[in-house]
Structure formats: C-alpha cells, structure tokens
Amino acid sequence: MSTGSTPPLKVTTLRIVRKKAKAERIVCLTAYDYPSALILDAAGVDLILVGDSAANVVYGMATTLTIGMDEMVYHTRAVAAGVKRALLVADMPFLSYQVSVEQAVANAGRFLQAGAEAVKVEGAGPVVPVIKRLVELGIPVMGHLGLTPQSVHKLGGYRLQARKAEDQERLLADARALADAGCFSLVLEKVPAEVAKRVTEGLAIPTIGIGAGPDCDGQVLVLHDMLGMFDTPPLKFVKQYAGLAAEIRKAVAAYSEEVRSGKFPDDDHTFHLEK
Ligand code: KIV
C-alpha cells in the first residue's frame, strides 16, 4: 500500500550533470559534522562538500595546508551519517593527491569507504592524470580552478584570479582539460563573473561558483560564513543568511544568567524519586 508521499530522489553525479542541461541551478554548501549534515540534507541542498576549509572554520588555521587525511576522513564519516539525499563530496587535502597517482587512489578510496560519493581536487596540469585514473577506477571527481587555496603561496594570497587575458585563456584550457579527464563538475573560485560565464558556456559539465558571479550552473558557500558564525566582516562574495554567532551568544548569556540565579534547572528539567 502506498503511503502517498514519494521520498525525494537521491542526488547522484549523473543528476548533477543533467541539471545543467535542464538549466536547474545546483545548490551546494559545505558541512563538517553530523548535525549540520542532517539539517542541510533535510533542507534539500543538492551537494554537500566536506571542504578542507574545515582547517579555517573548524580548526581556526590560517590556510588549508595544515589539514590532513585523518581529520578529513573523520569529518566525512560524521557528515555521511547525516546525509540521505544530497550528493556527498569530500575534499582531498594538500599532499593527498599530488605525490603519486597510487597515493591519490588509496586516499580517494578512504573517502569513499568513509561514505563520500565523489572527491574534489584542486588544479589542472599535473593533476589531470590523477583525475583520469580516479575516474577510470570508478571514483567521481569534482575539479576546482581559479583561486585554489592549496596554492596560496604560489598565488601570493587569496586574490581575484584570471584578470589578465592570458590567464583567462589558461583557465578555459584547464577547465576543458578537467572536463575531458572526466570531472563531473567544476568549482570556480574568485574569478570575474564574465570569465566564469565564458567557462560555464564552454563546458558540458556544470560549474559551481564561489565568488564567481551569477552565471555559474550552481553556487557553493562555506556553511560557517553564510550562517554568520564569526564576528569578522564577511568576504565580498559571502552573503550572510543568519547571524548565528550573535544568536549563540544570546543563548549562552541566558543560560549563564539562569545558572547563576538558580532559575535553571527548574522542576520541568529535574528528576525526582517516585512517590
Ligand atoms: O574547502 C572548501 O570549502 C571549498 C569550497 C570553498 C569550494 O573548497
């Protein structure tokens, strides 16, 4: 007997690719733990990325270079426990895919065993053979071009990328190389909107923008940034949809006041011996 309600379809890499053909925008956010994963999945987010931005927003580090495989696998396992519908992508951290193709395969395999359904890698050039091998072995790969934070020292900071004509041509060529290598989607970070539009129109796979304007096939933001978990002013491309730092402070202040005044715990939150 039918219950009347059909469960929403599981998002797969194939469905993400088809969304581009159907001109349906792809909604992506990062998550690093079980409760956020539950909330994002129930809210209907299409793709959840366990980003190496965990280094910044969970561990308080200045760059993403400091996070390793073990931490990323723990976070992926926690997020996977909360995700039913969204596509779950794990970010391969610095040095987990650059040293050799064999190491990249073993590390990507650890993510799939932890519950991820795809992995993300940054860059093109020497990374292209790695992507080809992973895809050949059945591991879906999301690319990442433009501002690639794992190359922060080479790039000289977190500045806008692809401003010069020659850099725009290289970005377009790299994007095509990643699509040809088998990537199912491509993150474009911090590039001018006009350039992101050109890349998006030139590819059959969807582009997911962060600081790349409105013409990408989807958008991604770091969860803690869009929820306002920090008091520092947000970056230009971040829109804050909540002010959780202030909300949490308010809740903690109320709790502190009630503990100090003896108002908490009241009888509703207290066990008694049965009479
Ligand atoms: O690590 C991350 O969160 C990312 C997104 C910003 C795309 O790579």
Side-chain angles (χ1 to χ4, degrees), residues 159-170:
R159 55 183 75 197
L160 184 69
Q161 300 297 303
R163 294 167 75 177
K164 292 191 200 139
E166 69 205 71
D167 296 336
Q168 291 161 16
E169 293 314 312
R170 185 154 31 85

Side-chain angles (χ1 to χ4, degrees), residues 11-234:
V11 183
T12 60
T13 54
L14 208 63
R15 289 216 159 87
I16 292 289
V17 177
R18 283 193 190 136
K19 277 180 178 288
K20 177 165 182 138
K22 293 196 269 179
E24 284 174 16
R25 292 269 162 86
I26 302 160
V27 180
C28 314
L29 280 172
T30 66
Y32 316 97
D33 59 32
Y34 172 67
S36 332
L38 276 178
I39 295 168
L40 267 47
D41 196 59
V45 166
D46 298 311
L47 187 154
I48 297 179
L49 171 69
V50 185
D52 63 355
S53 50
N56 312 122
V57 298
V58 178
Y59 294 98
M61 301 291 141
T63 74
T64 56
L65 304 176
T66 51
I67 199 161
M69 276 302 297
D70 289 344
E71 294 102 315
M72 288 299 297
V73 168
Y74 292 142
H75 287 290
T76 301
R77 208 180 290 286
V79 171
V83 174
K84 285 200 184 74
R85 176 188 168 271
L87 181 74
L88 179 52
V89 181
D91 218 355
M92 296 198 69
F94 181 56
L95 287 190
S96 70
Y97 56 96
Q98 294 92 339
V99 176
S100 70
V101 173
E102 290 72 22
Q103 248 188 49
V105 171
N107 285 328
R110 283 184 68 191
F111 280 122
L112 264 65
Q113 287 176 330
E117 296 158 303
V119 295
K120 177 167 84 58
V121 296
E122 292 183 9
V127 181
V128 170
V130 174
I131 295 171
K132 276 190 182 147
R133 186 64 184 142
L134 293 176
V135 173
E136 223 168 60
L137 291 170
I139 301 174
V141 181
M142 178 182 228
H144 184 157
L145 294 175
L147 173 61
T148 45
Q150 291 175 14
S151 306
V152 58
H153 298 308
K154 182 185 167 205
L155 299 175
Y158 296 100
R159 55 183 75 197
L160 184 69
Q161 300 297 303
R163 294 167 75 177
K164 292 191 200 139
E166 69 205 71
D167 296 336
Q168 291 161 16
E169 293 314 312
R170 185 154 31 85
L171 177 65
L172 198 61
D174 284 349
R176 289 201 178 111
L178 294 195
D180 290 347
C183 283
F184 74 93
S185 61
L186 170 65
V187 169
L188 286 178
E189 181 164 352
K190 212 167 176 185
V191 297
E194 297 75 12
V195 179
K197 183 172 193 283
R198 213 176 136 211
V199 174
T200 300
E201 287 170 356
L203 293 184
I205 59 167
T207 58
I208 311 293
I210 173 162
D215 297 308
C216 293
D217 299 300
Q219 297 291 328
V220 62
L221 282 176
V222 169
L223 186 67
H224 292 50
D225 292 341
M226 63 86 79
L227 291 180
M229 282 288 281
F230 298 103
D231 289 321
T232 42

